[in-house]
Amino acid sequence: MTVLLFCSRESQELVCRGSMASPLLARKGRHQQRYDNQLRLVAGCIPYKLNTDGDNQSCDLLDRVEVLMVTSPGRLDLVFPKGGWENDETAGEAACREALEEAGVRGTLNDTALGVWEFRSKSTQKACSLEGTCKGYMFALEVTEELDCYPEKDSRDRKWVPVGEAYKLCRYDWMRKALDSFKDLLRGRRIPTVPELSEPPSLCIVKPSAADRAIALC
């Protein structure tokens, strides 16, 4: 099952006027940040789309899938959109918000988590304590809308890449493991349940994804 998580158009709409933009502001601060002991809880997603190029009609779904990666502010390495999971949203809603803020995309979120991984924030890579360690939940987001104006447009670049190329661009092992789960999900293989994410997502409608339809046709 996939679910489309959404917020009101009034709160999410981006308005562009020439070179000026009036964007939805990215959330700042950590006053609503969730923690598990000393671990900062993070949610993110692997945004993807099916390549509809007429020259690529492979029945292997993954041959037709591209994923969206973004640069970190001030760095050239590519990552998947992710950020703090706050206490007024589900993990899925946080993942959708981060995809909008960092990559300027909306879409259909699969409610099966790809998994949970622990990793350090880039500013605490060499620290010995738990401080700066994140516990991240990742999802798959089929992109249905790509915006020209979004909150972090000026500080990030975005790039669509084939799944195989994404493996080479991943800086961290946990990102490659998330891609492994992503591939299993699209191929209909079972992914271990993440028990702490049993809460139902709010504000959702059930909708078949293009990937579901493509699998059915093959």
Side-chain angles (χ1 to χ4, degrees):
M1 178 190 298
T2 56
V3 296
L4 178 63
L5 298 183
F6 62 92
C7 295
S8 68
R9 178 64 62 173
E10 290 77 10
S11 65
Q12 296 274 343
E13 192 66 34
L14 303 181
V15 181
C16 297
R17 298 183 180 88
S19 61
M20 300 297 292
S22 177
L24 164 73
L25 297 178
R27 290 195 179 193
K28 301 294 184 182
R30 297 186 179 179
H31 58 286
Q32 296 190 89
Q33 172 66 54
R34 296 194 193 207
Y35 290 89
D36 180 0
N37 294 320
Q38 297 183 58
L39 302 180
R40 180 179 177 233
L41 299 188
V42 168
C45 63
I46 298 178
Y48 72 97
K49 65 181 180 181
L50 292 177
N51 188 337
T52 57
D53 187 341
D55 294 333
N56 186 356
Q57 295 299 322
S58 170
C59 202
D60 186 340
L61 180 67
L62 288 173
D63 288 342
R64 293 182 282 146
V65 168
E66 293 183 342
V67 297
L68 183 63
M69 304 183 76
V70 297
T71 58
S72 299
R75 300 178 63 167
L76 297 178
D77 56 312
L78 291 165
V79 296
F80 299 118
K82 66 183 183 306
W85 173 14
E86 302 193 348
N87 58 25
D88 64 343
E89 58 190 355
T90 66
E93 288 166 342
C96 287
R97 174 176 55 76
E98 292 294 336
L100 177 62
E101 292 178 357
E102 295 188 359
V105 292
R106 297 191 182 100
T108 304
L109 188 82
N110 194 299
D111 61 350
T112 299
L114 299 176
V116 56
W117 292 272
E118 291 185 11
F119 54 88
R120 286 192 175 278
S121 63
K122 61 180 180 292
S123 61
T124 59
Q125 289 292 310
K126 297 181 180 180
C128 297
S129 67
L130 284 177
E131 184 179 358
T133 303
C134 300
K135 185 176 182 181
Y137 301 85
M138 295 294 291
F139 298 85
L141 177 79
E142 184 179 18
V143 172
T144 59
E145 186 177 6
E146 189 171 348
L147 305 174
D148 293 328
C149 299
Y150 51 98
E152 299 188 21
K153 175 180 173 62
D154 292 338
S155 59
R156 296 180 186 272
D157 294 324
R158 56 187 178 185
K159 182 178 182 180
W160 285 103
V161 297
V163 175
E165 183 179 342
Y167 274 97
K168 300 174 184 178
L169 296 172
C170 289
R171 181 174 181 177
Y172 305 109
D173 285 341
W174 74 265
M175 293 172 60
R176 284 182 279 271
K177 292 177 181 177
L179 275 173
D180 287 339
S181 293
F182 171 73
K183 290 169 59 178
D184 286 342
L185 182 72
L186 292 194
R187 285 173 168 161
R189 297 173 182 168
R190 183 179 178 278
I191 296 178
T193 302
V194 179
E196 58 264 45
L197 293 184
S198 59
E199 58 180 327
S202 62
L203 297 177
C204 66
I205 57 175
V206 177
K207 175 182 177 182
S209 70
D212 295 331
R213 296 191 292 272
I215 291 173
L217 292 174
C218 288

